[in-house]
Amino acid sequence: MAKLKVGVLISGRGSNMASLVRAAWEEDYPAEIACVVSNAADAPGVKIARDAGIATAVIPHGDYPDRETFERAVTAELDKHGVRLVALAGFMRVLSPWFPQYWQGRILNIHPSLLPAFKGLDAQRKAIDAGARVSGCTVHFVVPEIDGGPIVAQAAVRVLAGDTADTLANRILQQEHRLYPLVVRWFAEGRLRQKDGRVEVTGVPPGATLLFSEEP
Ligand code: GAR
């Protein structure tokens, strides 16, 4: 069967993008990474994608007069590659309402907290500052409200005494690399349904939408 074409949007390191690329190398994975788009020319992830043989494009947001015009240029690039699912992976641009509306139901994001806690930037630092005992990461559908869309799946990570934002971020990142490929697989397999602002995942074992870092 034809694989689902995924476009990944990045701004920096690109480790989540790389985890999707690695997953898609598996023969039985139902999605392929059709292109990687960065709004930052110096994003290390661009080189990683290029070295992996993925089509890449750098579209600097500063070249455009406003958010929507930039997003239309990104969309033209994604459409050029036949993209059917957009995966935001460390894409650090606030979106205008236009982009999530155009890609409605076909755009996912990964965020380094258990949403709806700790939205926005520095989510790992916010978890530590709040004294949270557990944090993690969330994959959710993207809507105009920042970090506000319907949750698909989460991974929980214990906050340890003595954790810094960096040590916690690193442990959360390991779980991000498990969670995102799993959710993209489910999307590609047609398992995700949105109903009343919530996501149903069909045909997976009970509890499959919550991972724990302490379990393999
Ligand atoms: C990841 O931790 C991702 O969850 C986070 O940025 C990092 C990107 O790392 N995204 C956000 O904070 C979005 N609000 P990566 O470039 O190595 O994938």
Side-chain angles (χ1 to χ4, degrees):
M1 221 173 79
K3 297 195 178 207
L4 178 87
K5 289 184 190 291
V6 180
V8 185
L9 267 50
I10 65 168
S11 298
R13 181 176 52 188
S15 73
N16 276 291
M17 174 274 298
S19 80
L20 293 170
V21 168
R22 273 195 305 275
W25 278 339
E26 298 298 324
E27 212 174 308
D28 72 343
Y29 197 75
E32 64 181 288
I33 309 308
C35 66
V36 170
V37 179
S38 172
N39 64 313
D42 58 356
V46 173
K47 182 173 175 344
I48 294 171
R50 209 181 284 136
D51 289 349
I54 311 281
T56 60
V58 172
I59 304 181
H61 56 270
D63 290 358
Y64 297 85
D66 54 42
R67 291 186 195 279
E68 184 177 323
T69 315
F70 162 69
E71 293 160 7
R72 284 181 185 272
V74 171
T75 296
E77 184 66 26
L78 297 170
D79 283 342
K80 199 172 94 187
H81 292 278
V83 165
R84 292 285 174 271
L85 172 68
V86 179
L88 305 185
F91 184 67
M92 304 312 266
R93 287 298 295 166
V94 170
L95 299 168
S96 82
W98 180 83
F99 196 71
Q101 273 156 17
Y102 179 91
W103 290 100
Q104 194 182 12
R106 301 177 294 150
I107 177 167
L108 296 168
N109 181 43
I110 188 154
H111 182 76
S113 75
L114 295 177
L115 290 172
F118 312 129
K119 294 180 177 179
L121 293 175
D122 288 327
Q124 304 94 332
R125 148 106 10 244
K126 286 173 181 162
I128 290 187
D129 289 351
R133 272 25 178 192
V134 64
S135 193
C137 52
T138 302
V139 176
H140 63 94
F141 280 103
V142 175
V143 297
E145 185 205 334
I146 293 178
D147 300 327
I151 291 168
V152 183
Q154 296 183 306
V157 174
R158 191 184 288 274
V159 181
L160 302 175
D163 254 338
T164 63
D166 280 349
T167 58
L168 178 60
N170 283 334
R171 289 205 317 289
I172 292 175
L173 194 63
Q174 290 172 25
Q175 301 307 310
E176 295 184 41
H177 298 164
R178 293 171 74 196
L179 191 68
Y180 217 173
L182 187 63
V183 172
V184 169
R185 168 186 283 279
W186 289 338
F187 183 97
E189 290 172 346
R191 297 188 188 281
L192 308 187
R193 301 255 179 290
Q194 290 191 53
K195 201 174 151 196
D196 303 329
R198 295 169 60 151
V199 179
E200 285 178 3
V201 186
T202 54
V204 301
T209 55
L210 174 59
L211 307 182
F212 293 93
S213 64
E214 290 165 12
E215 290 169 0

